[in-house]
Amino acid sequence: MEKYSLEPYKDKDEISDFRKEEAYLRAKKKVDALIGFYWHLAVYIVVNLFLILLIGLYSDQGFRGFGPYATAVFWGIGLIFHFIGVFGPDFFFGKDWEKRKLKEFMDKEERNWE
């Protein structure tokens, strides 16, 4: 009886297998971060709608003032930081934003010289 089934060493590219596994783990981490952000956004919307309606309808001041919106504002600040943490600052500017802007200004200067 054979207790272990050991295969002989095969000529596999172990480095490429390792890179594929690393790429999968990085992709999985990004997807988990995206899912986490979208859940955070959904909970933010539902809870703050409820709170704004509750406070606005049952308080003496109604929807006036900062009271009904305070939670949404401060939680929104945290949500913005979560967004930047997930999507990064490149979301707003793009990866080649600096190069594009430099080229744009250089082209503008060049036209002014003509």
Side-chain angles (χ1 to χ4, degrees), residues 40-110:
H40 187 182
L41 180 62
V43 170
Y44 170 83
I45 291 169
V46 170
V47 169
N48 282 297
L49 279 175
F50 175 75
L51 287 175
I52 289 170
L53 289 174
L54 183 72
I55 294 169
L57 292 174
Y58 294 106
S59 72
D60 295 336
Q61 293 184 355
F63 291 99
R64 291 172 294 169
F66 184 64
Y69 312 106
T71 303
V73 169
F74 293 117
W75 190 351
I77 293 169
L79 188 65
I80 289 169
F81 282 111
H82 192 174
F83 177 86
I84 292 171
V86 171
F87 292 100
D90 289 340
F91 181 81
F92 297 109
F93 297 112
K95 292 187 179 202
D96 298 327
W97 177 82
E98 187 175 358
K99 290 178 186 176
R100 288 193 316 264
K101 279 298 183 189
L102 282 170
K103 183 172 180 358
E104 177 185 328
F105 291 137
M106 294 293 289
D107 291 344
K108 194 179 212 180
E109 287 291 323
E110 193 174 299

Side-chain angles (χ1 to χ4, degrees), residues 9-20:
Y9 179 77
K10 295 182 180 180
D11 291 331
K12 280 188 173 180
D13 190 6
E14 290 181 16
I15 293 174
S16 69
D17 289 343
F18 180 69
R19 287 182 183 157
K20 286 179 185 177

